[in-house]
Structures are given as structure tokens and as C-alpha cells.
Amino acid sequence: EAQVTQNPRYLITVTGKKLTVTCSQNMNHEYMSWYRQDPGLGLRQIYYSMNVEVTDKGDVPEGYKVSRKEKRNFPLILESPSPNQTSLYFCASSWREGQPQHFGDGTRLSIL
Amino acid sequence: EDQVTQSPEALRLQEGESSSLNCSYTVSGLRGLFWYRQDPGKGPEFLFTLYSAGEEKEKERLKATLTKKESFLHITAPKPEDSATYLCALRSGNTPLVFGKGTRLSVIA
């Protein structure tokens, strides 16, 4: 089954404790991206990757890092999380930029 | 700056009561307008892509249309299982995809 898998689905943590949200896709897609979804603000792109070893900033990259060492994986790293990063996060992938994206089921992060 | 505005924010329909959701936009050089459906606790699910004014796409009870300023998602004879949040997003140039805030649709049996 074609899917984008995110882990964990839920996480409660504290300010400053580094965390990683993993994302894996099994569709051999070149393009992957991370979004955050906040009430009243909609989905906003954090980072994206056109292919392996190629990443770039989206609209709201501050406080986040990503890497793309393999085609299937695109982890999101919060080196020093803060409460304003409490949000619902989605990973997505597509064949190429501009093509319809497949989304994971989301990771709800709460940073106290 | 590219902008996407969806209306209404929320819509409540009786089963079988057809209606339309609106996505108005301002963009320089539209390269694609996307409609997604999002169920509670799930990620958005792709429905349609429209590329040029006059284009229409259909899938079951849904029909998406596009003009130079807005897109409509028409829902014909909706059923309770059509209840979801519907998102539109647009792509222009090399900028990130811009999403609207969505319309929350409830269809009551």
C-alpha cells in the first residue's frame, strides 16, 4: 500500500529537549516536504526536498532542521524545541514538485 | 504576495442538499490549484488539480471548476460520508504551495 509514515503520532516533551520526527514514503517519490497546521493559520510549509541531498526552506523554517540522505526518508529535527512549536505536523511526498502530494497522518507535538 | 481565501469557514447541509465551496485567490502566474479533503485525525487527501480557467474535474458527487479569480467545489446530493474539511491550495512560480484555511463541511442525515 502506498503510504507516508510518520512517527511518533503523538509526543509531549519539554522545552529544549532535542527531538526528531521521522517520515518515510514507499512510493519512490523525489519530492518531500514538511508542514505544520495551526488553528486559524492553515497548513504552512516548513522545509522541502527536491531529491536526495537537496533541501530548501519553506515559509516557516526557523527552529527546524531536515536532512535527506535517502530517497525514502525525510526526518524533521527540532534541536531546541520551544512552546511556539506546539502544533500538528504533516509530512508529504510527490513524484516531483508541483504534483499532487500524499500526506502522512500527522504528528501532534506538545512542547511544555 | 499569493493569497488564498476559502468560504464559508463552515457549512452545514442536509443530506441531498447540493451546495458549493469557494476558493478565491490572487496570484501572479498560477501553475496549479489543488483541492484536498481532510478527515479528523488524518492528513489531507488529494482530490483534484486544475491548471487553467475553464477547466473542470469530477469525481463522484464532487465537481471542481476554475476561473481566473476563484475555484468552486460543487457537491451534488451530499451524503454524511462527505463530511470533512476541504482545503484548496495554489502553486505559482517556485514558491511553496499556499493553502487556504479550509471549509468544514457537515452533512446531516
Side-chain angles (χ1 to χ4, degrees):
Chain A
E1 180 189 351
Q3 57 186 6
V4 176
T5 303
Q6 298 179 224
N7 279 296
R9 293 291 314 280
Y10 305 90
L11 179 62
I12 301 174
T13 187
V14 296
T15 299
K17 186 177 180 181
K18 180 179 179 179
L19 67 91
T20 300
V21 184
T22 64
C23 173
S24 181
Q25 50 94 4
N26 63 358
M27 295 165 280
N28 202 35
H29 284 169
E30 291 186 352
Y31 184 87
M32 297 186 74
S33 61
W34 276 102
Y35 295 87
R36 61 179 288 174
Q37 188 174 39
D38 301 288
L41 294 177
L43 277 160
R44 294 177 293 166
Q45 191 177 56
I46 302 170
Y47 268 95
Y48 65 94
S49 170
M50 303 276 272
N51 212 326
V52 176
E53 302 293 359
V54 181
T55 63
D56 209 345
K57 297 176 181 178
D59 279 333
V60 288
E62 293 76 22
Y64 305 95
K65 283 177 58 177
V66 293
S67 69
R68 186 94 181 271
K69 294 185 172 62
E70 306 164 283
K71 199 170 189 178
R72 65 182 294 129
N73 296 323
F74 190 45
L76 179 70
I77 303 156
L78 284 70
E79 295 264 1
S80 183
S82 61
N84 64 10
Q85 293 177 298
T86 292
S87 187
L88 179 58
Y89 291 85
F90 289 100
C91 180
S93 72
S94 61
W95 288 109
R96 291 188 308 275
E97 183 188 16
Q99 297 297 306
Q101 295 182 53
H102 294 252
F103 283 80
D105 281 340
T107 295
R108 186 167 292 281
L109 282 183
S110 295
I111 300 164
L112 307 177
Chain B
E1 183 181 325
D2 299 342
Q3 288 194 325
V4 180
T5 304
Q6 291 190 246
S7 62
E9 286 187 20
L11 181 62
R12 187 181 171 99
L13 299 173
Q14 290 294 124
E15 184 172 4
E17 179 187 2
S18 301
S19 188
S20 297
L21 313 183
N22 177 264
C23 173
S24 63
Y25 63 90
T26 55
V27 66
S28 53
L30 180 69
R31 296 180 65 188
L33 188 141
F34 302 83
W35 281 99
Y36 287 86
R37 168 192 171 127
Q38 186 174 19
D39 293 298
K42 297 285 188 180
E45 177 186 347
F46 170 71
L47 293 173
F48 305 110
T49 309
L50 302 166
Y51 291 103
S52 57
E55 191 174 358
E56 299 182 351
K57 295 267 180 79
E58 279 189 75
K59 180 180 178 180
E60 296 179 357
R61 294 177 293 282
L62 300 177
K63 179 180 177 180
T65 62
L66 181 66
T67 72
K68 289 185 178 179
K69 294 183 178 180
E70 56 193 350
S71 177
F72 291 95
L73 185 65
H74 307 278
I75 303 177
T76 302
K79 298 182 178 182
E81 52 261 43
D82 295 321
S83 297
T85 296
Y86 291 86
L87 304 170
C88 79
L90 62 84
R91 179 170 179 257
S92 69
N94 293 320
T95 57
L97 204 59
V98 177
F99 278 85
K101 295 176 184 177
T103 293
R104 191 170 62 254
L105 175 66
S106 301
V107 182
I108 312 302

